[in-house]
């Protein structure tokens, strides 16, 4: 459903029609949808910038993982370095709740993780 007008989103989010909608992600899930009629030029520019950042990352060999995710060298029981997701880890430690949070461990020491819209790019 469109955040602004309440219009119904396409049932198939992989369709060409759905491709014109803008989604905002939080915690690995779509939290807002904006239909083409309600999008502002700023909304469109931000979406294009996010898409470009993802495309550049993929062309440079990065893999995209949606948030919430924790990326680390070592293992969950013996982490060496938290490369991304320290806020997620702190939330787990504070609340004891880890549902829905992915963990990518045993990454090589020279791994680079960069936050991007809706997740992280891992190089």
């Amino acid at each position: 459903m469109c955040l602004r007008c309440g219009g119904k989103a396409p049932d198939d989010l992989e369709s060409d029609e759905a491709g014109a909608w803008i989604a905002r992600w939080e915690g690995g899930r779509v939290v807002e949808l904006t239909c083409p009629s309600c999008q502002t030029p700023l909304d469109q520019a931000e979406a294009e910038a996010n898409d470009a950042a993802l495309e550049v990352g993929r062309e440079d060999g990065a893999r995209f993982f949606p948030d919430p995710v924790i990326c680390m060298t070592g293992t969950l029981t013996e982490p060496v370095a938290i490369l991304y997701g320290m806020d997620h880890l702190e939330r787990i430690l504070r609340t004891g709740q880890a549902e829905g949070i992915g963990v990518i461990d045993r990454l090589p020491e020279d791994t680079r993780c960069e936050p991007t819209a809706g997740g992280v790019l891992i190089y």
Side-chain angles (χ1 to χ4, degrees):
M1 176 177 299
C2 177
L3 169 72
R4 296 184 182 141
C5 73
K8 186 178 181 318
D11 290 330
D12 179 5
L13 294 179
E14 300 294 321
S15 69
D16 289 339
E17 180 187 5
W21 286 62
I22 294 176
R24 187 171 70 78
W25 293 75
E26 273 183 16
R29 292 183 290 185
V30 174
V31 294
E32 291 178 4
L33 288 171
T34 307
C35 73
S37 299
C38 292
Q39 295 169 16
T40 67
L42 181 61
D43 293 331
Q44 293 169 348
E46 184 177 321
E48 288 178 23
N50 291 340
D51 287 344
L54 287 174
E55 185 61 30
V56 167
R58 287 185 183 116
E59 287 176 4
D60 286 344
R63 291 181 57 204
F64 174 78
F65 291 89
D67 255 342
V69 66
I70 299 169
C71 305
M72 68 181 82
T73 60
T75 66
L76 190 56
T77 55
E78 294 183 29
V80 176
I82 305 298
L83 303 175
Y84 174 79
M86 183 60 90
D87 55 333
H88 303 316
L89 185 58
E90 288 171 356
R91 185 177 58 205
I92 292 169
L93 294 173
R94 188 175 62 251
T95 66
Q97 299 293 318
E99 289 81 22
I101 297 178
V103 175
I104 303 167
D105 59 4
R106 297 181 181 90
L107 292 169
E109 295 285 337
D110 61 348
T111 300
R112 189 172 93 243
C113 297
E114 294 182 5
T116 190
V120 63
L121 290 169
I122 301 177
Y123 294 85

